[in-house]
């Protein structure tokens, strides 16, 4: 849906990783580099590079940037930057940038973050107004707010 609305080429699993500021636990690491005592870069086997920082020795490493050069299954390169982490370590601000031909700049501000909370089934039920007109993802891509046609209606 984010891809259709704002041209951001992340699937559901990738979007979850980005919003949490945490790569997949089964990611294969191909290279780790140090930049002084406070910075590290981690290159994953899939080609992504993650940049970590910590404020002091003994402090946890925090993901501050993620660069994906694109892959065969998702050829569009992008970068994410993370800041304003809360006590749980979840970033309160995530900025996504398109680095290739498809440019985008999406800033997400997360507030009232609760981790591992039980959710009532009702939060997953869609209640559309009776006047709503069905629209496919392809229709949204063609006519959504980020298209030339969609911007004309503003």
């Amino acid at each position: 849906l984010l891809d259709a609305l704002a041209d951001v080429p992340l699937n559901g699993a990738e979007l979850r990783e980005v919003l949490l500021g945490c790569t997949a636990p089964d990611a294969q690491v191909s290279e780790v580099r140090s930049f002084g005592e406070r910075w590290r870069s981690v290159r994953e086997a899939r080609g992504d590079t993650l940049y970590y920082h910590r404020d002091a020795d003994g402090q946890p490493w925090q993901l501050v940037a993620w660069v994906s050069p694109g892959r065969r299954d998702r050829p569009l390169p992008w970068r994410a930057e993370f800041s304003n982490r809360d006590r749980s370590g979840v970033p309160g601000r995530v900025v996504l940038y398109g680095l290739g031909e498809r440019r985008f700049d999406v800033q997400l501000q997360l507030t009232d973050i609760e981790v591992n909370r039980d959710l009532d089934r009702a939060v997953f039920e869609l209640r559309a107004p009776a006047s709503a007109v069905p629209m496919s993802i392809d229709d949204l891509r063609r006519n959504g707010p980020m298209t030339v046609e969609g911007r004309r209606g503003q």
Side-chain angles (χ1 to χ4, degrees):
L1 189 56
L2 190 59
D3 182 19
L5 284 171
D7 224 14
V8 177
L10 300 176
N11 65 33
E14 292 168 325
L15 180 59
R16 181 181 188 276
E17 292 175 16
V18 167
L19 289 177
L20 293 174
C22 184
T23 188
D26 61 346
Q28 301 288 320
V29 173
S30 64
E31 178 184 33
V32 177
R33 297 176 68 190
S34 296
F35 304 95
E37 295 297 317
R38 305 274 184 256
W39 288 91
R40 300 287 186 271
S41 70
V42 176
R43 183 172 171 84
E44 295 181 340
R46 63 183 178 180
D48 294 1
T49 302
L50 297 96
Y51 295 88
Y52 292 87
H53 179 262
R54 67 177 174 184
D55 292 328
D57 292 343
Q59 294 293 312
W61 291 98
Q62 305 227 331
L63 179 63
V64 294
W66 184 337
V67 178
S68 181
R71 301 189 288 273
R72 187 176 326 157
D73 63 325
R74 186 190 33 73
L76 303 167
W78 54 270
R79 180 179 81 226
E81 296 176 0
F82 309 90
S83 59
N84 301 341
R85 291 186 183 268
D86 69 358
R87 286 178 281 124
S88 69
V90 175
R93 184 167 187 264
V94 178
V95 182
L96 292 161
Y97 302 97
L99 302 176
E101 294 175 14
R102 271 174 59 185
R103 297 283 181 169
F104 56 86
D105 181 343
V106 176
Q107 299 183 31
L108 305 168
Q109 190 73 32
L110 307 174
T111 60
D112 301 324
I113 300 168
E114 293 186 46
V115 178
N116 297 327
R117 180 174 181 207
D118 290 331
L119 299 174
D120 188 277
R121 293 183 65 88
V123 301
F124 299 102
E125 294 174 7
L126 177 62
R127 293 190 185 108
S131 61
V133 177
M135 177 182 267
S136 71
I137 293 293
D138 288 333
D139 289 340
L140 185 58
R141 281 190 181 108
R142 280 191 301 274
N143 306 307
M146 301 309 285
T147 64
V148 171
E149 293 299 316
R151 287 189 291 259
R152 282 186 190 145
Q154 293 180 352

